[in-house]
Amino acid sequence: MTRLAIISDTHMPRGDRRLPDACVTAIRSADLLLHAGDIADVPTLDAIVGLGPPVHAVHGNVDDHAVRARLPAELQITVDGVRVAMVHDAGPRTGRLLRLRRRFPQADVVVFGHSHLPLHENQDGFTIFNPGSPTERRRAPAHTMGIGETGAGVISLRLITV
């Protein structure tokens, strides 16, 4: 079994913004960290990598040139038999699940960000998951992140408030 910490839209540094303690604790206790983009700059990326678990990340629309040079726009990995795709901007809400299923036909789950609005949606065994943002909630009711567990080709995901 692999424990995942899932974040997006950290937008650091900006003012005195930092990852909440509960988020850092969850990341450090994970086996893998997935970041769905909008990190901002390389020092922030390096700080996130320095938290401990291996990081799989994509770049977002606010990431600077150096981050874009280090991270892909989309990524597909397999964790314990679960095929996970990642992209920052999944497009408009209307038709999103079907659009992502067409874009990533081999994926079991697509992790994305951009809207800062947490979302966990499943249809016929295909899941889309937006962890929200641990640092900039915008219209979301709280700062959030995702926790996942994989094993034997199955993934369970949940949103937590940080």
Side-chain angles (χ1 to χ4, degrees):
M1 183 174 302
T2 302
R3 183 171 170 88
L4 308 172
I6 307 166
I7 60 176
S8 186
D9 298 286
T10 46
H11 293 270
M12 298 185 309
R14 194 181 280 174
D16 61 354
R17 182 174 297 167
R18 65 181 187 80
L19 292 175
D21 292 341
C23 180
V24 172
T25 298
I27 291 169
R28 287 187 172 147
S29 69
D31 300 307
L32 288 176
L33 171 60
L34 306 182
H35 196 303
D38 277 3
I39 294 163
D41 62 21
V42 169
T44 302
L45 175 59
D46 290 343
I48 289 170
V49 168
L51 291 175
V55 175
H56 295 279
V58 294
H59 70 72
N61 58 294
V62 303
D63 291 324
D64 69 17
H65 178 73
V67 171
R68 288 172 181 261
R70 284 183 50 180
L71 300 177
E74 59 184 53
L75 179 66
Q76 295 187 59
I77 61 171
T78 301
V79 183
D80 297 330
V82 177
R83 296 163 303 195
V84 179
M86 294 174 58
V87 64
H88 179 63
D89 185 351
R93 178 176 42 194
T94 302
R96 182 182 287 144
L97 188 138
L98 294 176
R99 187 173 53 254
L100 289 173
R101 178 175 258 170
R102 284 191 305 271
R103 183 171 176 182
F104 300 103
Q106 301 303 314
D108 299 305
V109 60
V110 177
V111 173
F112 67 98
H114 190 58
S115 71
H116 297 229
L117 296 173
L119 175 73
H120 184 189
E121 193 175 322
N122 184 295
Q123 183 180 60
D124 300 324
F126 178 76
T127 300
I128 61 173
F129 188 79
N130 183 333
S133 173
T135 58
E136 187 177 301
R137 65 178 183 82
R138 291 188 183 166
R139 297 179 323 245
H143 295 104
T144 58
M145 68 177 290
I147 299 295
E149 291 183 350
T150 61
V154 176
I155 188 167
S156 66
L157 296 163
R158 62 188 169 97
L159 292 161
I160 63 168
T161 299
V162 293

